[in-house]
Amino acid sequence: WDETHFGKMGSYYINRTFFFDVHPPLGKMLIGLAGYLSGYDGTFPFQKPGDRYEQHNYIGMRGVRLSRPVSSWLVLLCLSVQMLELSKSLPAALLTAFILIFDTGCITLSQYILLDPILMFFLMGAVLSMVKCNSCADRPFSASWWLWLNLTGVNLAGAMGVKFVGLFVVLLVGLNTIYDLWDLLGNLNVSLVMFGKHLLARVLCLILLPLALYTAMFAVHFTVLNKSGPGDGFFSSAFQSQLIGNNLHNVSVPE
């Protein structure tokens, strides 16, 4: 059923038809983009689970261009986190990768048009970036430190932009940041000016950057979906007047 739902959302993006859904737009936009790049024309109705795709080119949306590469990257991310930063143990890292490769749930999720593999990619990316940034604590404000701090913010935006469950990794990174700042505040070798710079860097990269990217996702969402569709009724008359094909299109609506 979920593949039917998200496949239809991808078709809406390809056809630029406005719709309303409970999830943020990033994952569905990526699914639509994968379908578009692989030649899918957005005409399959996705009426009920189990319908045959027949001549419709669904491969890009279902796996080859998106979900399976994402699932493969999950193994690399997990291996990198375990081996390089956390356990420092190659056997532990290989065992973790082995378990993930042969996990039935992960294999199943990677076969269909779903948001979960994309969400897991950004979740693991955020954790990896956070851990790598922590490893650069002895070189604050270096190029690598800024890189991983910014990548943490980018992955946080990606996780929130796919599903609201991504807020849990925001909580994890937030707690890690609070602990890090508290440790710096208690370090007598760190001046208040330097502490202020650390605080400002984290506000910029872990709060303002994710919020800006999250907002930009919706800007793209509303720009692409400019035609009337099944989601019109959830929004105001003024908004509906901007949708091509709506009965109120280009009608002057009072504020």
Side-chain angles (χ1 to χ4, degrees):
W1 187 89
D2 278 355
E3 178 175 79
T4 302
H5 176 72
F6 294 119
K8 182 179 292 186
M9 302 298 105
S11 297
Y12 284 149
Y13 279 106
I14 294 174
N15 295 318
R16 308 193 67 174
T17 303
F18 188 78
F19 67 94
F20 177 79
D21 189 54
V22 296
H23 298 296
L26 179 59
K28 293 167 292 187
M29 286 195 292
L30 291 176
I31 289 173
L33 178 62
Y36 176 78
L37 294 177
S38 60
Y40 171 59
D41 57 6
T43 58
F44 187 73
F46 287 101
Q47 291 181 344
K48 64 181 186 296
D51 285 346
R52 294 185 178 274
Y53 289 104
E54 302 296 347
Q55 77 280 6
H56 295 278
N57 188 0
Y58 65 94
I59 298 299
M61 297 173 68
R62 203 177 210 192
V64 172
R65 297 291 184 88
L66 186 62
S67 295
R68 289 179 183 174
V70 166
S71 298
S72 302
W73 277 104
L74 282 176
V75 178
L76 294 177
L77 287 174
C78 189
L79 186 64
S80 298
V81 171
Q82 293 291 331
M83 180 178 67
L84 298 178
E85 302 301 334
L86 296 179
S87 68
K88 304 297 182 182
S89 169
L90 180 58
L94 291 175
L95 177 61
T96 303
F98 179 84
I99 292 173
L100 186 60
I101 289 172
F102 293 98
D103 179 72
T104 304
C106 189
I107 294 173
T108 303
L109 289 175
S110 66
Q111 294 181 14
Y112 299 103
I113 305 172
L114 300 174
L115 300 181
D116 302 87
I118 309 171
L119 173 66
M120 291 168 64
F121 173 81
F122 284 114
L123 292 176
M124 289 301 300
V127 174
L128 172 61
S129 300
M130 179 190 71
V131 171
K132 294 289 287 185
C133 185
N134 288 343
S135 69
C136 299
D138 58 336
R139 292 165 286 138
F141 306 107
S142 63
S144 58
W145 186 86
W146 279 112
L147 172 65
W148 290 113
L149 190 63
N150 278 282
L151 283 178
T152 303
V154 171
N155 283 298
L156 289 180
M160 291 189 300
V162 175
K163 276 188 175 183
F164 289 122
V165 179
L167 289 171
F168 283 106
V169 78
V170 176
L171 177 62
L172 173 65
V173 173
L175 291 174
N176 176 79
T177 303
I178 292 172
Y179 175 83
D180 188 28
L181 290 174
W182 182 257
D183 187 56
L184 287 171
L185 186 61
N187 189 344
L188 298 179
N189 295 322
V190 177
S191 65
L192 287 178
V193 174
M194 182 59 67
F195 175 80
K197 292 180 179 179
H198 277 278
L199 177 61
L200 180 60
R202 285 158 176 80
V203 169
L204 289 175
C205 298
L206 301 181
I207 298 178
L208 297 182
L209 176 60
L211 287 177
L213 293 175
Y214 186 76
T215 305
M217 296 172 198
F218 281 91
V220 174
H221 170 79
F222 287 115
T223 301
V224 172
L225 304 182
N226 63 350
K227 297 180 181 179
S228 179
D232 295 14
F234 291 97
F235 292 83
S236 67
S237 299
F239 179 82
Q240 293 181 44
S241 67
Q242 303 174 24
L243 297 175
I244 300 172
N246 189 282
N247 292 333
L248 299 176
H249 183 231
N250 284 336
V251 174
S252 178
V253 179
E255 289 291 339

